[in-house]
Amino acid sequence: MEFGVLGPVVTWHEGREHTIASGRQRCVLALLVLEAGRVVSLDRLVDALWEAGSAPRTARNVVQQCVSELRKLVAVDPGARLVLKAPGYALEVDPQRVDLHRFRSLVAAARAEDPAVGRAAGLRRALALWRGEPLAGADAPGLVPARQALAEERLAVLEECLTAEVESGRHAEAVPELTALVAEHPLRERPAELLMLALYRGGRASEALEHYHHTRQRLAEQLGTDPGPALRELHQRVLTADPALTLPTRDTPPPAATPRQLPAPPAPFTGRRDELDRLDTALHASNQGATVTISALAGAGGIGKTWLALHWAHRHTDRFPDGQMFVDLRGFSPTGDPTDPAVAVRGFLDALGVEPGRIPTDLDAQAALYRSLVAGKRMLIVLDNAATSDQVIPLLPGTPTCTVLVTSRRKLAALIDRHGARHLTLDVLDRDEARALLTTRLPADRATAEPDAVDELVTLCGAYPLALAITARTAAIRPALPLTEITAELRALGLEAFDHDDPAAGLPAVLSWSLHRLTEQQRTVFALLGIAPGPDTTLPAVVALTGLSPANARKALSALEEASLVERRPGGRYGMHDLVRAYATTTAHALPDDVRETALTRVVDFHLHTAHAADRLVDPHGTLVPPDPCTPGVRPLPLPDAATAMAWLEAEHATLLATQRTAAALGRHHVVWHLAWTLDTFHHQRGHRRDALAAWRTALDAAAHLPDPATRSRTHRHLGHACARLGLHEQATGHLERALDLAVRHHDPAEQALTHRTLAVAWERRGNVRRTLEHSRHALDLYRSLDQPVPEALALNAVGWYAARLGDFDTARDHCHAALTLHRRHHHPAGEAATLDSLGFIAHRTGSHRQALDHYHQALNLFRALGHTVEIADSLNGVGHPHAALGHHEQARAVWREALELYRDQGRDADADRVQRQLDDLDNPTTTSGST
C-alpha cells in the first residue's frame, strides 16, 4: 500500500487508486501520513479537525472511529500498520511508500547531481509525483498551514529545477513554463529573474529588458518597492551585455530540428464528416488544445482509426508549428509485444534533438525531460494503436498547449477518467460514405457501368472500411473481371474473401490481433457468441450459452466490449458487426465439438422454456403442451406478467426464429416443434403471418421424427391455418383435411374440434361462409361434449359471427351473448374482446349504430390492453362503419386511417385496399360503404 498527499489524499493498493469516502477520515489519514513513523496525539487530531473551541463533546470518539475505519483499510498490507501509541496514534510504514517522503528523497538525490542537466532531470522526476493541490479533499482547519507549506516547498523545488535547466542550456525550453510561473506568482522575484535570463540567453534581449520593466512597475504598484539586488544586478548586466551571462559554446546544445513524424496521409480518404467535426470541436474547445481518444466499435481492427487520425492530423499541421510526433505503440499487431513506453519516450527525445549522453536512464526521468522539452510548445502527438492507458500516460505532455491524439481498440477508461480525454467511438461507415470509399478507389467508368454490383459489394462488406479497401484492391488487381463476378465470389466465400497471406492485408488476421490480450475464458465466450442464435443477445442468454455465473458472464462481455469486439446496444443487448461475428464463428470451429454442442443446447433450452413461460402468460387458456425438461443448470428468464412476457417475445422474436433453425441443425426435433407451437399465439397477435408459415413448415419436418401422432395432426392444423392467413387456399385446406383425418383416426375429439374451427377460418377466406358455419357448428358440438368452457365460448362466438355474416342475426346474437357470458365468467379477455367485436357488427347490421359503437369501443380497449395488433386493425375497421352510418365522417376517417396503417404494417394488402376504398367513399358521396 502507498499513500499520497501531493494532490488529493488517496491510497494505492496493488497499483489501484482508492479515494477515502469520508472527509474526516481523509483529514485524519493526511495528518498521520504527514507524520509517518511518528506519534500524532489524539488532542492534536481533534484540534486539527475543528476550529478552536468548536469541537463537540464526542470529538474524541469521532476521531477514534475514523482511526478504526482507517485501520481496516491499512490492514490489507502487512507492511503498513496504524498503531495505538500514547498519547495518540502512529502510521508505521516505509517512508518510500509516501509520495511526500519519496519527493523529498528524490529532491535530495537530484541536488547531489552534477552537471546541471542531471540535477534538472532529477528534480523533474521529483516534481512529477505532484498530482495537484496538496492535501486536496482534506479540508480541516489544522491542515491549512501544512497545505500552504507544501505548496511553498513545491514552488521552491520548481524554481530550483528551472534554474538548473536554464544553467544547462535549456533556456529556450524553460521560457514557456517560466512565463506561466511569473503570471501565477507575479510578486516572486526569482521566477522573474530566471525568465529574464532565459530570454536573454535565447537572443531575446529586448524582451528581457521589457520583462524587467513590467516587473519593476508591478512591484512598485502593489508593494511600493523596487526589485531586489539580484534582479537589479541582472538588469544591469543585460544592459551592458555582460559576456559572463552567455553559456560557453560547449554547453549550448545545437537547436533541435522541428519533428515532422506523421506518416503519409491515407489517399483517398472519404466520409467521417461527423467524426472530423467532433475532433475539430475538441481542438477548438480551448485555445490550449485538447486530448482526444479515438476508440473503435464492432471489431476495432480495420474500422479506420489510423486513417481518420492521420487525415485529421495532416489537415491541421498549420495549427502545430512546433512539430508533429507519431509513434505506433503496436498494441495490436501480428508479431511482438506492445511498444514499451520507455522506447516510445526515447524515440521522442531523439526526435527533439536530445543528445544520447544527456538522456536519463530512468523512465520517470525520461518522461519528465520529454515534458520539459514540449512544455509550452504547440505540438501534435499522435499515439497510434495503444494497448492500455499505462502505455499512453508516460507520453502525455504536462502542458495543454500540445494536442494528443490516441487510437486504440480499447476504450482506455483511465485515460478518460484521470486525464479528461474526449472519447470518440468509430462505427462502420454509413452507406453513402461506404459507396464513396469504394467508388473512389475504382476507375470511374467501371463503377458507373455496374452500379448494382457496387451497391451489393457495399452490403456484403457491411460498410466496414478495411473490407471495402480489400474489395477495391481485389477489383484493382483484376481489371478485366466484372464487378458482378467479384460480388458472386464474395457472396460465396464470405469472410474468407477478405483473407490474405500478408497478415496486415487480411481482415481475419487484423481481427485476430484483438484476441491476443483476452483471457482463455473471454476468447471462448467470443467464439460462442459467433454461433449463438439470433442477431444479438442478452446477459441471461449468454449465461445459458456459456455456463458461467451472471457475474463472470458480465465481466466477459465487458472485456469484449472494451476490446471493441462486442457492442452494447439499448435494452441490455449485445451485438457484433456481421464480419466480426463471421470471424467469431471461425474461432468457434476450433473449439471441441462437445463444447459447441453443449453451449447451443443450453441456450436453445433457455429460449424455448422462457418462450413457453411467456406464451402461458399471454394465452393462459390455450392448450397446454409442455416441452421436454430443461437442460440441468439452465434457468429460464422469470417473467412476472403478460405485459412483460409480450415485450420479451417482441424483443426476442428474431432470436427465437433463429433458435428454431439452430435446433433443427442440432437434430433436436421436439424443440423445433415446440418453438413453432409456443410462438403461434404471438405470431397471430402481432400479424407475423410469413414467420408463422416458415415456423410450421420447419415443424412439419420435425414432427415426422416425433412419436406422438397428435403432434402431426396439430402440425398440419397450424400449417393449414398459416397458409389460410396468406391466401394459400389449396394448401390450407389440404393440410387441414389431413389434420382432421389424423384426429379422427386417433380418436382425438379435442383436436377434431380445433381443426373444425381452423377449417371454418380457411373456408371463410375462400368466401364460402356456409361451409364456414358448418365447421363452426361441428366445433361447438365437440366442445360441449368435452366440457371445455373457454373453447366452447370461442366456438359460440364463431357460430354467432358466421350466422351474422349470413344474415341470421337472431341466432348470431343469442350465440354471441352466450359466448360473452362464458368468457367473462372464466376471465378470458381476448375471447371477450372478440365476442364484443362480433356484437358490434351485429348491432351495426341491424341498425343499432350507437350500440355498435359501444361494443366496438369495449372490444378495442381490451385488444389494446392485450397488444393484439391484428384484432385492433379489424375492430378499427369495424367501428368506422357505424360512425359513417351516423354521419360521423371525421371519426370514421380517423379510425379507418389508423386501420389502414396497421394493415399495411402487417402486410394485409387486401384488407388495406378495402379500407382505402372506404376512405375514398367518404370523400365521394355518390357511393357508400355499407359492410365490413
Side-chain angles (χ1 to χ4, degrees), residues 809-870:
F809 295 112
D810 291 337
T811 299
R813 193 179 294 107
D814 290 343
H815 280 75
C816 287
H817 279 300
L820 187 63
T821 299
L822 280 175
H823 281 310
R824 284 174 172 170
R825 182 183 303 160
H826 294 281
H827 308 290
H828 188 221
E832 180 184 349
T835 306
L836 286 165
D837 183 88
S838 298
L839 287 168
F841 175 76
I842 294 166
H844 165 60
R845 293 298 296 271
T846 55
S848 300
H849 303 305
R850 296 191 182 279
Q851 186 181 41
L853 289 175
D854 180 59
H855 287 315
Y856 274 130
H857 283 305
Q858 288 184 63
L860 270 171
N861 288 337
L862 286 168
F863 282 139
R864 290 190 194 278
L866 293 167
H868 293 189
T869 54
V870 170

Side-chain angles (χ1 to χ4, degrees), residues 637-719:
L637 188 69
L639 300 170
D641 51 43
T644 306
M646 183 62 80
W648 184 85
L649 289 167
E650 191 78 61
E652 300 294 342
H653 182 220
T655 297
L656 292 169
L657 296 177
T659 299
Q660 190 192 40
R661 295 191 292 271
T662 299
L666 292 171
R668 301 192 68 202
H669 306 297
H670 73 283
V671 174
V672 173
W673 189 88
H674 274 283
L675 277 168
W677 175 269
T678 296
L679 287 171
D680 196 64
T681 299
F682 172 76
H683 280 157
H684 174 70
Q685 292 178 359
R686 284 293 190 262
H688 297 305
R689 296 178 298 163
R690 296 192 182 281
D691 291 329
L693 179 64
W696 281 113
R697 280 176 171 168
T698 305
L700 185 62
D701 293 335
H705 300 276
L706 299 175
D708 186 0
T711 301
R712 291 189 287 279
S713 174
R714 289 167 176 161
T715 308
H716 280 290
R717 172 168 57 84
H718 280 284
L719 184 52

Side-chain angles (χ1 to χ4, degrees), residues 154-359:
R154 177 191 177 277
L155 188 55
V157 172
L158 177 58
E159 290 177 353
E160 189 176 350
C161 176
L162 289 166
T163 300
E165 287 177 347
V166 172
E167 289 176 357
S168 65
R170 311 305 294 175
H171 41 268
E173 290 81 355
V175 166
E177 191 170 4
L178 282 167
T179 301
L181 189 61
V182 168
E184 186 178 358
H185 302 279
L187 302 180
R188 288 181 75 95
E189 294 193 29
R190 183 55 179 161
E193 180 185 349
L194 285 171
L195 178 56
M196 187 175 175
L197 178 59
L199 289 169
Y200 179 77
R201 284 185 172 170
R204 300 158 68 179
S206 60
E207 292 179 57
L209 293 171
E210 183 180 1
H211 167 63
Y212 174 81
H213 170 74
H214 288 313
T215 301
R216 184 178 63 180
Q217 187 175 20
R218 186 164 52 243
L219 291 171
E221 291 174 351
Q222 298 188 33
L223 299 179
T225 64
D226 288 329
L231 193 54
R232 291 200 307 271
E233 180 185 350
L234 178 59
H235 174 238
Q236 188 61 37
R237 294 174 69 189
V238 169
L239 286 173
T240 60
D242 186 348
L245 290 180
T246 305
L247 288 173
T249 304
R250 64 178 183 276
D251 292 332
T252 304
T258 301
R260 308 287 185 193
Q261 293 187 321
L262 292 178
F269 180 89
T270 58
R272 300 295 192 199
R273 179 175 300 173
D274 290 343
E275 290 84 352
L276 289 168
D277 287 345
R278 289 181 63 186
L279 287 174
D280 288 348
T281 300
L283 178 62
H284 297 309
S286 168
N287 292 329
Q288 296 177 321
T291 302
V292 181
T293 300
I294 302 175
S295 56
L297 182 65
I303 206 73
K305 303 178 304 300
T306 304
W307 287 356
L308 174 64
L310 289 178
H311 178 75
W312 183 86
H314 278 282
R315 264 198 351 182
H316 292 285
T317 53
D318 61 312
R319 299 291 299 273
F320 308 106
D322 294 320
Q324 307 93 40
M325 295 195 291
F326 177 94
V327 63
D328 181 0
L329 294 175
R330 303 179 64 81
F332 303 89
S333 60
T335 58
D337 295 325
T339 301
D340 191 300
V343 175
V345 171
R346 175 62 185 262
F348 282 172
L349 292 175
D350 290 341
L352 292 167
V354 179
E355 297 175 5
R358 301 178 65 193
I359 296 178

Side-chain angles (χ1 to χ4, degrees), residues 571-592:
R573 308 193 71 82
Y574 296 85
M576 296 174 169
H577 186 277
D578 289 346
L579 291 177
V580 177
R581 179 162 188 166
Y583 174 67
T585 303
T586 65
T587 66
H589 294 320
L591 297 174

Side-chain angles (χ1 to χ4, degrees), residues 477-488:
I477 62 179
R478 298 173 180 172
L481 202 64
L483 294 181
T484 51
E485 288 192 32
I486 296 175
T487 302

Side-chain angles (χ1 to χ4, degrees), residues 672-898:
V672 173
W673 189 88
H674 274 283
L675 277 168
W677 175 269
T678 296
L679 287 171
D680 196 64
T681 299
F682 172 76
H683 280 157
H684 174 70
Q685 292 178 359
R686 284 293 190 262
H688 297 305
R689 296 178 298 163
R690 296 192 182 281
D691 291 329
L693 179 64
W696 281 113
R697 280 176 171 168
T698 305
L700 185 62
D701 293 335
H705 300 276
L706 299 175
D708 186 0
T711 301
R712 291 189 287 279
S713 174
R714 289 167 176 161
T715 308
H716 280 290
R717 172 168 57 84
H718 280 284
L719 184 52
H721 195 189
C723 290
R725 290 172 183 164
L726 286 167
L728 305 174
H729 302 306
E730 294 298 331
Q731 294 181 45
T733 51
H735 283 295
L736 291 169
E737 293 294 349
R738 175 64 175 154
L740 187 60
D741 179 65
L742 287 169
V744 171
R745 187 186 307 170
H746 293 99
H747 310 289
D748 189 342
E751 186 59 34
Q752 292 175 50
L754 286 166
T755 307
H756 277 299
R757 281 177 57 192
T758 311
L759 275 163
V761 174
W763 281 109
E764 179 192 22
R765 291 181 179 273
R766 298 185 74 167
N768 192 330
V769 181
R770 293 192 181 278
R771 290 288 298 272
T772 296
L773 182 58
E774 178 185 338
H775 283 292
S776 298
R777 290 188 184 278
H778 279 305
L780 178 58
D781 293 340
L782 286 163
Y783 281 130
R784 281 171 170 164
S785 69
L786 291 169
D787 190 24
Q788 294 183 5
V790 170
E792 180 184 343
L794 293 171
L796 280 166
N797 180 52
V799 171
W801 170 254
Y802 296 124
R805 295 287 302 278
L806 291 171
D808 186 357
F809 295 112
D810 291 337
T811 299
R813 193 179 294 107
D814 290 343
H815 280 75
C816 287
H817 279 300
L820 187 63
T821 299
L822 280 175
H823 281 310
R824 284 174 172 170
R825 182 183 303 160
H826 294 281
H827 308 290
H828 188 221
E832 180 184 349
T835 306
L836 286 165
D837 183 88
S838 298
L839 287 168
F841 175 76
I842 294 166
H844 165 60
R845 293 298 296 271
T846 55
S848 300
H849 303 305
R850 296 191 182 279
Q851 186 181 41
L853 289 175
D854 180 59
H855 287 315
Y856 274 130
H857 283 305
Q858 288 184 63
L860 270 171
N861 288 337
L862 286 168
F863 282 139
R864 290 190 194 278
L866 293 167
H868 293 189
T869 54
V870 170
E871 285 80 2
I872 290 170
D874 290 337
S875 285
L876 285 167
N877 175 49
V879 78
H881 293 286
H883 272 309
L886 291 167
H888 304 161
H889 289 176
E890 285 306 313
Q891 291 92 324
R893 189 175 286 109
V895 295
W896 279 343
R897 282 174 177 166
E898 187 179 352

Side-chain angles (χ1 to χ4, degrees), residues 399-655:
T399 56
T401 55
C402 296
T403 292
V404 181
L405 196 56
V406 184
T407 75
S408 177
R409 298 190 188 189
R410 296 182 172 271
K411 304 296 185 292
L412 303 180
L415 201 63
I416 300 168
D417 297 343
R418 292 167 54 189
H419 296 274
R422 295 170 183 260
H423 180 67
L424 175 63
T425 297
L426 289 192
D427 201 346
V428 295
L429 301 168
D430 65 36
R431 189 164 187 87
D432 290 340
E433 292 175 337
R435 198 179 198 283
L437 189 150
L438 189 59
T439 54
T440 54
R441 298 188 178 210
L442 295 172
D445 56 344
R446 198 172 182 190
T448 304
E450 299 181 83
D452 292 342
V454 171
D455 287 339
E456 187 170 0
L457 286 173
V458 169
T459 300
L460 292 171
C461 291
Y464 205 98
L466 182 56
L468 292 163
I470 292 170
T471 300
R473 179 233 299 158
T474 301
I477 62 179
R478 298 173 180 172
L481 202 64
L483 294 181
T484 51
E485 288 192 32
I486 296 175
T487 302
E489 182 180 84
L490 183 53
R491 194 186 309 113
L493 294 178
L495 184 66
E496 186 182 344
F498 302 112
D499 207 353
H500 197 275
D501 292 338
D502 179 359
L507 181 58
V510 169
L511 292 173
S512 73
W513 305 338
S514 294
L515 303 184
H516 292 172
R517 302 184 66 82
L518 299 179
T519 66
E520 186 65 32
Q521 184 181 85
Q522 291 162 359
R523 286 194 289 268
T524 299
V525 173
F526 173 70
L528 292 177
L529 288 174
I531 59 173
D536 53 18
T537 190
T538 61
L539 176 62
V542 174
V543 169
L545 176 74
T546 61
L548 297 173
S549 69
N552 286 337
R554 185 182 290 107
K555 288 179 182 177
L557 287 170
S558 296
L560 295 174
E561 183 186 4
E562 172 69 16
S564 297
L565 292 169
V566 165
E567 173 192 356
R568 177 69 182 270
R569 296 172 180 171
R573 308 193 71 82
Y574 296 85
M576 296 174 169
H577 186 277
D578 289 346
L579 291 177
V580 177
R581 179 162 188 166
Y583 174 67
T585 303
T586 65
T587 66
H589 294 320
L591 297 174
D593 292 344
D594 64 318
V595 172
R596 292 198 307 275
E597 185 169 343
T598 299
L600 289 175
T601 298
R602 285 194 304 254
V603 77
V604 162
D605 276 4
F606 167 80
H607 287 305
L608 169 62
H609 284 267
T610 306
H612 173 73
D615 182 56
R616 296 309 300 163
L617 287 167
V618 171
D619 186 20
H621 297 284
T623 304
L624 176 61
V625 184
D628 288 353
C630 208
T631 300
V634 174
R635 293 181 175 83
L637 188 69
L639 300 170
D641 51 43
T644 306
M646 183 62 80
W648 184 85
L649 289 167
E650 191 78 61
E652 300 294 342
H653 182 220
T655 297

